[in-house]
Amino acid sequence: MAGALKEKEFATLACRADVLQSTDRPSDPRHVFCCTRGMNDAFLHARMLLTVQPLTQQAFAPYGTVLAAPANAGRSINGGNAERFDLVGDLQLGSAGGRAMLALFRAQARRFPHEVTEMERHALGSQTFVPLGKRRFVIVVAQAGDAPSADTLAAFITDGLQGITLAPGTWHHALLAVDAGDFVVIERAAGAVDCELCALSASAVVDWKG
């Protein structure tokens, strides 16, 4: 059983965006590990409801950076015809020979409530999501470090214009688009894909009623 395996056996695991769908979960137990964290039997059979909160920088700070136009004035560029706002000084994508990769995710709208059964992380680099147009998405995260459990998850909803940069190692669910459409994704690329999956022993439910 995957839960009997040690976390250190899961170094760098290959995954694709479509693999993150629950219907495409890898059957090979080496691709996931169970996160029990000492939960009792009663809790294992309970599904925790995740309240979705509005995305703010203060609330999201333990997990990364909110990308939005600041209220203050930016730096004047292009002869005064534009303002520049530097949002993230270092995306931390060069670790272990990595390089920056710019991709486009064309997401379908998810249905809610949504059951969260697994999380993922990218230990060697950040991951950035920016909607093209006004498109909301729900973000389910847990802080970097030990494998998450349902009671350590947090959920946020964007206002449709916000993007996010997830800090390296932050546990997160796959993209949960509320509004179907395109999202620009900036992430680390290298010879081996840096993606580790964690199957939660007790699921959580994103209880969003927007």
Side-chain angles (χ1 to χ4, degrees), residues 25-113:
R25 191 179 306 158
S27 59
D28 188 337
R30 292 174 299 178
H31 290 180
V32 296
F33 62 92
C34 291
C35 311
T36 59
R37 295 175 62 86
M39 293 178 287
N40 58 40
D41 290 341
F43 186 69
L44 286 175
H45 295 286
R47 297 196 304 173
M48 177 170 290
L49 291 179
L50 290 176
T51 300
V52 181
Q53 57 186 303
L55 181 65
T56 67
Q57 182 53 59
Q58 182 177 4
F60 194 70
Y63 316 104
T65 303
V66 176
L67 306 179
N72 57 301
R75 176 161 55 91
S76 180
I77 60 171
N78 296 339
N81 291 299
E83 290 180 280
R84 171 173 172 156
F85 301 90
D86 294 329
L87 302 180
V88 181
D90 183 2
L91 290 174
Q92 303 179 67
L93 299 174
S95 179
R99 65 187 185 279
M101 168 70 75
L102 180 67
L104 182 72
F105 285 15
R106 181 155 293 159
Q108 299 179 14
R110 301 280 192 144
R111 297 180 63 181
F112 295 90

Side-chain angles (χ1 to χ4, degrees), residues 4-16:
L5 299 176
K6 296 180 180 178
E7 182 177 352
K8 67 181 181 180
E9 296 179 43
F10 298 85
T12 302
L13 304 179
C15 72
R16 311 182 313 276

